[in-house]
Amino acid sequence: MRFFSDNAARIHPQVMAAIAAADTLDTAYAGDAWSQQLDGRLSALFETDVAVLWVPTGTAANCLALAALCPPHGGIVCHRDAHIQNDEGGAPEFYTHGAKLFLADGEAAKLTPDTIRTVLDAIPDDVHRVQPHAISITNATEYGRVYQPHEVSEIGALAKERGLGFHMDGARFANAMARAGCSPADMTWRAGVDALSFGFVKNGAMSAEALIFFKPDLAAVTQYRRKRAGLLLSKGRYLAAQILAMLDDDLWLANAKAANDGATKLAAAAGDRLVHPVEANEVFLRATPEEAAALRAKGFDFYDWAAGEIRLVTAWDSPADAVGLLADALREL
């Protein structure tokens, strides 16, 4: 009955088995047999040569990517409701050694070329002003909305035109892909993305995210930043094993589809209470404090998002009966 966050989901049994299978003597850090498979496996998935670094958190993946794309004296355009702005405790500024976040607008936390240009065009080429060096988008967004490949491509074209790096925060990339139904390549590098934070923890892994560089030379310096940041785990094989297990038989996509399906059922029950269309695994709906209390009294756990709004998040392991009971409860409000 817990719909607070997919961060709290269980570890998928196949991932747990992979961790156990990796519990054998091998090379330390990232020299083990599991870590050495990541570039090849993810290059196959994305249909191009990539360089992959495992990290334990999404914050680390996002911020190491941004540090590779933006110097300390530069700036990064993101949505004002982006995770890197509101939910990472200043980590982007810390990892980049001071790069500035330029905040742009857009419906449901989605950027568009026009909202990005509004920010860029207001910054004169002046030594007294921080200059933009990168754009960061989140797919799926903080409000569960999904960029389609053509939308990413339009932003990618602007990034290329302005000579900016392009990062995608993919904490829920799997959920976005399950909705979009396109290839990972079309959603990323073919659309101009330089670096992707490919999230697994919310989707069935325990402690592993993949930082993917579509320009492999960016990974060369980032591995030193990973070490300096204290993120080069001695037993990296356990992280790599999790990612490989999620890739096997497209478990990452199957899990995301299961989570999305649960959210779709809740959205159908919520009706006109929905604040945003449901495109991934997050449901934002209007509820008075009394209605929220009534739901909690029935045993449901969720997040109070804003005044008069709550957020429900489904996960790969959300029990069908719990989803059904919550759907019934929403209809009865």
Side-chain angles (χ1 to χ4, degrees):
M1 304 277 273
R2 296 181 65 88
F3 295 89
F4 188 86
S5 174
D6 43 5
N7 284 302
R10 293 181 300 121
I11 304 169
H12 194 280
Q14 290 175 219
V15 174
M16 191 71 83
I19 294 172
D23 194 23
T24 185
L25 183 63
D26 204 304
T27 305
Y29 305 111
D32 59 89
W34 290 264
S35 298
Q36 293 300 303
Q37 295 180 53
L38 291 179
D39 285 2
R41 289 288 299 278
L42 284 157
S43 291
L45 179 64
F46 285 91
E47 305 174 61
T48 191
D49 288 338
V50 302
V52 184
L53 300 178
W54 46 250
V55 290
T57 69
T59 295
N62 285 339
C63 298
L64 287 173
L66 296 175
L69 297 173
C70 183
H73 61 271
I76 301 152
V77 180
C78 67
H79 196 279
R80 66 178 60 257
D81 291 330
H83 203 80
I84 60 172
Q85 161 64 12
N86 293 335
D87 296 285
E88 291 187 338
E93 294 89 341
F94 176 78
Y95 277 77
T96 60
H97 294 271
K100 183 180 180 66
L101 298 181
F102 295 120
L103 306 183
D105 294 308
E107 190 266 334
K110 289 178 74 173
L111 296 180
T112 68
D114 286 343
T115 61
I116 296 169
R117 284 194 188 93
T118 297
V119 172
L120 297 178
D121 292 346
I123 303 170
D125 185 6
D126 186 322
V127 72
H128 299 286
R129 298 289 296 271
V130 173
Q131 297 300 302
H133 282 259
I135 299 169
S136 179
I137 66 172
T138 309
N139 203 15
T141 75
E142 294 303 301
Y143 293 101
R145 299 294 297 276
V146 172
Y147 288 90
Q148 292 294 325
H150 74 274
E151 296 174 301
V152 180
S153 184
E154 289 168 359
I155 296 173
L158 175 60
K160 183 177 181 179
E161 171 193 328
R162 299 295 181 98
L164 306 176
F166 189 12
H167 165 250
M168 179 179 286
D169 175 352
R172 294 187 175 95
F173 181 73
N175 303 96
M177 292 302 306
R179 171 73 180 193
C182 63
S183 72
D186 287 342
M187 187 66 88
T188 55
W189 65 271
R190 286 185 183 138
V193 173
D194 297 312
L196 168 70
S197 306
F198 192 163
F200 291 98
V201 171
K202 290 180 170 65
N203 198 30
M206 181 177 75
S207 58
E209 311 277 64
L211 172 51
I212 301 175
F213 289 107
F214 299 105
K215 294 181 177 178
D217 59 300
L218 292 173
V221 65
T222 302
Q223 64 181 334
Y224 292 96
R225 289 193 177 99
R226 179 175 65 173
K227 172 62 179 179
R228 187 172 185 265
L231 295 168
L232 181 60
L233 278 66
S234 297
K235 299 176 182 179
R237 62 187 180 276
Y238 296 107
L239 278 71
Q242 295 174 56
I243 296 170
L244 294 173
M246 292 291 293
L247 296 176
D248 286 344
D249 299 319
D250 287 334
L251 178 63
W252 66 278
L253 194 57
N255 283 0
K257 287 178 178 177
N260 288 8
D261 287 347
T264 299
K265 292 174 183 176
L266 296 180
D272 60 6
R273 289 179 178 274
L274 288 178
V275 179
H276 303 286
V278 173
E279 296 178 346
N281 66 320
E282 295 180 282
V283 181
F284 296 84
L285 53 87
R286 299 175 187 87
T288 66
E290 294 75 19
E291 289 170 331
L295 290 173
R296 289 192 170 99
K298 293 181 179 180
F300 299 109
D301 180 36
F302 50 85
Y303 187 80
D304 291 317
W305 186 259
E309 293 182 15
I310 62 174
R311 184 191 72 171
L312 311 171
V313 184
T314 52
W316 73 269
D317 63 341
S318 294
D321 57 347
V323 172
L325 288 171
L326 180 52
D328 291 340
L330 293 176
R331 293 188 188 97
E332 293 169 3
L333 284 181

